[in-house]
Amino acid sequence: MVFRNDDWLSQVREDVVEPDREIVDPHHHLWPGEQMGYDLPEFLADMGAGHRVVETVFMECGSAYREDGADHLKPIGETEYVAAAADQAAAQGAVTRISAIVGRADLAGPHLDEVLDAHTGAAGGRFRGIRHAGARAEPAEAFRIKGDAPEGLYGMDAFRKGVARLGERGLTYDTWHYHYQNEDFLDLARAVPSTTMVLDHFGTPVGIGPYAGQREAIFGPWKDHMAAIAECPNVVAKLGGLAMPDNGFGWDTRDTPATSDEIVEAHAPWYTHMLDCFGADRCMFESNFPVDRWSMSYTVYWNAMKKLVADRPEAEKAALFAGTARRTYRL
């Protein structure tokens, strides 16, 4: 995964819509190193591109793990790295604060509390939860980003106990999976009602490999699954990530990136359904950067979100752009 596509993105330039609107971006990554090309400087450049992004939540992505020591503690290296990056950004006077960190732990493993304590100690007051994604790519060779969770993860007793333990400790559970796993996630949400669960990326409706050209066939069952999941009051939805290559819209393969108007036209039915099911107080917009950067710029993404809800009441907008994220992640 390489995110050095500035020249391509620069072909589409838009004025910032509603530049004074406060935004909390609850889902972004950092990948240190020359090969990946999305570290603190690139992150701050996107944050400073015109939208008023005041706080963010870092989401685990398998970066900067410890290279030695016990395997179950290697993800602590990522939290250590991001906490140091957050301190560095603050020292530089950056307007945007990395205010929270969602780390990685094996929720089915025997050392969970030790790992949670270590994340807490490393995060400098920013640790808010765990993402142990359930995504299982089938068939794996078709996917740009290959979810490799074991089959049936959501139904494992040990895993469910781990998710419950997060709730007992006042922590959130973030997850990511594909549309064909939505029913499994629904069972998990019902089985562990005491833990706040954050559903990332719409349950990832896939549009590549054997799912290419099946968008309409997928949309109907997906709508039903989202409506059922929304009946679980412990689930909050992140609205973003639809521009990932594996969703199959093809933005990343074009000669020019997507515009905000194109994003709104293509993605609006999915966003509208989620808002209808969950309501604005249980939804939050997420950039999913830099992964969605393969398809559009940071300016374009937030312009699209502002256009998409332009006619909605101000209270709903305030929740979608900042309020729900602040409440969910205790910012």
Side-chain angles (χ1 to χ4, degrees), residues 215-232:
R215 184 165 292 117
E216 291 303 316
I218 289 169
F219 187 57
W222 173 87
K223 289 174 66 177
D224 293 339
H225 292 149
M226 290 301 112
I229 291 170
E231 293 178 1
C232 300

Side-chain angles (χ1 to χ4, degrees), residues 165-180:
R165 184 62 180 145
L166 293 181
E168 292 168 0
R169 294 187 55 144
L171 299 169
T172 60
Y173 170 61
D174 262 79
T175 192
W176 159 58
H177 58 253
Y178 302 112
H179 71 269
Y180 47 80

Side-chain angles (χ1 to χ4, degrees), residues 70-233:
D71 286 346
H72 64 279
L73 292 175
K74 287 183 178 179
I76 309 304
E78 183 174 60
T79 293
E80 293 169 332
Y81 181 84
V82 176
D87 289 340
Q88 182 181 346
Q92 294 174 358
V95 174
T96 303
R97 301 186 305 277
I98 302 175
S99 296
I101 296 171
V102 174
R104 174 67 162 81
D106 180 3
L107 293 178
H111 307 288
L112 180 57
D113 278 301
E114 180 188 359
V115 177
L116 298 179
D117 289 343
H119 277 301
T120 300
R126 301 179 183 91
F127 181 55
R128 294 295 184 272
I130 290 294
R131 182 169 75 163
H132 182 173
R136 181 175 176 82
E138 297 175 353
E141 61 271 13
F143 289 73
R144 176 85 65 91
I145 300 176
K146 302 173 177 61
D148 60 356
E151 186 173 1
L153 178 68
Y154 287 155
M156 294 179 182
D157 288 343
F159 181 81
R160 290 184 173 188
K161 289 178 181 178
V163 174
R165 184 62 180 145
L166 293 181
E168 292 168 0
R169 294 187 55 144
L171 299 169
T172 60
Y173 170 61
D174 262 79
T175 192
W176 159 58
H177 58 253
Y178 302 112
H179 71 269
Y180 47 80
Q181 299 176 284
N182 279 326
E183 288 184 281
D184 294 338
F185 175 73
L186 174 61
D187 290 342
L188 173 66
R190 288 171 171 167
V192 192
S194 58
T195 297
T196 296
M197 302 186 187
V198 185
L199 174 61
D200 298 348
H201 315 331
F202 294 83
T204 315
V206 182
I208 45 83
Y211 309 101
Q214 303 299 313
R215 184 165 292 117
E216 291 303 316
I218 289 169
F219 187 57
W222 173 87
K223 289 174 66 177
D224 293 339
H225 292 149
M226 290 301 112
I229 291 170
E231 293 178 1
C232 300

Side-chain angles (χ1 to χ4, degrees), residues 273-314:
H273 183 67
M274 294 296 280
L275 288 169
D276 289 345
C277 290
F278 284 87
D281 61 342
R282 290 171 59 205
C283 290
M284 58 186 114
F285 290 139
E286 51 144 342
S287 73
N288 192 38
F289 260 52
V291 181
D292 281 31
R293 202 177 197 269
W294 273 324
S295 300
M296 60 186 164
S297 72
Y298 201 74
T299 299
V300 163
Y301 170 73
W302 289 111
N303 275 355
M305 297 305 97
K306 290 173 179 179
K307 291 176 179 181
L308 196 147
V309 296
D311 294 333
R312 289 185 178 261
E314 177 56 34

